[in-house]
Amino acid sequence: MVFHIVLVEPEIPANTGNIARTCAATGTPLHLVRPLGFSTDDKTLKRAGLDYWHSVDVRYYDSFGELREALDGRRFFFATTKAHKLYTEFEYEDGDVFVFGKETKGLPPEIVEANRETCIRMPMTDAVRSLNLSNSAAIVLFEGLRQKAFLGLK
């Protein structure tokens, strides 16, 4: 079972490092869309991912369009606080792509508008604007894996 995690213009190296570690633990490819808010040789990025970077299939793109072409034919789900549907309302399939935006602004409005039907959100109180990026990615990824009985994981 292979899902894909996409980070569009991530800004905080520790979040990307944490997500990379989750990807290493689950065999999930990590796709990073530039510009990145940090250098990929940043110490904080490496520290958050610990010594698992060699186990992560990381791919880089210069635009969201380039990523879309590379993953053509796959279903995309877009995490945003502006979604009407919960992440648990979908039945995920092998190869599905989970897309997350930058920490300060989320996904660009044009991406959200063009993909309303597959926008997903996590329920939460009004006390915060959003969940942490690395937590959100893990929540959605593990829901997909749970639906597939954690196939290939022990």
Side-chain angles (χ1 to χ4, degrees):
M1 179 60 45
V2 175
F3 293 109
H4 297 264
I5 295 287
V6 173
L7 304 181
V8 178
E9 302 179 7
E11 300 168 312
I12 301 172
N15 284 333
T16 300
N18 288 335
I19 293 166
R21 185 174 182 176
T22 298
C23 288
T26 58
T28 302
L30 176 60
H31 306 264
L32 301 177
V33 178
R34 294 179 183 103
L36 307 180
F38 48 84
S39 167
T40 54
D41 60 1
D42 186 299
K43 279 192 264 182
T44 307
L45 177 72
K46 291 194 186 324
R47 185 171 54 241
L50 296 175
D51 56 350
Y52 300 107
W53 281 102
H54 67 280
S55 299
V56 183
D57 177 5
V58 183
R59 305 173 195 176
Y60 298 90
Y61 305 87
D62 290 323
S63 69
F64 186 73
E66 181 183 337
L67 167 100
R68 218 41 213 246
E69 280 183 37
L71 296 177
D72 188 40
R74 299 183 189 279
R75 297 188 321 162
F76 281 69
F77 294 89
F78 301 86
T80 174
T81 57
K82 297 163 183 65
H84 299 291
K85 296 177 185 173
L86 296 177
Y87 72 103
T88 53
E89 292 182 47
F90 290 91
E91 187 173 322
Y92 299 113
E93 301 173 1
D94 189 23
D96 282 350
V97 180
F98 303 126
V99 182
F100 300 85
K102 65 173 79 178
E103 290 89 341
T104 57
K105 295 182 181 177
L107 290 167
E110 60 273 12
I111 290 177
V112 172
E113 285 305 316
N115 298 284
R116 275 273 169 223
E117 290 305 308
T118 55
C119 284
I120 56 175
R121 67 178 178 83
M122 281 135 277
M124 61 186 148
T125 68
D126 291 332
V128 297
R129 288 185 306 280
S130 64
L131 293 173
N132 173 273
L133 178 61
S134 62
N135 291 338
S136 297
I139 288 167
V140 173
L141 175 60
F142 272 86
E143 172 60 15
L145 293 168
R146 183 199 65 79
Q147 288 182 14
K148 301 304 177 192
F150 300 104
L151 188 64
L153 302 177
K154 56 182 176 172

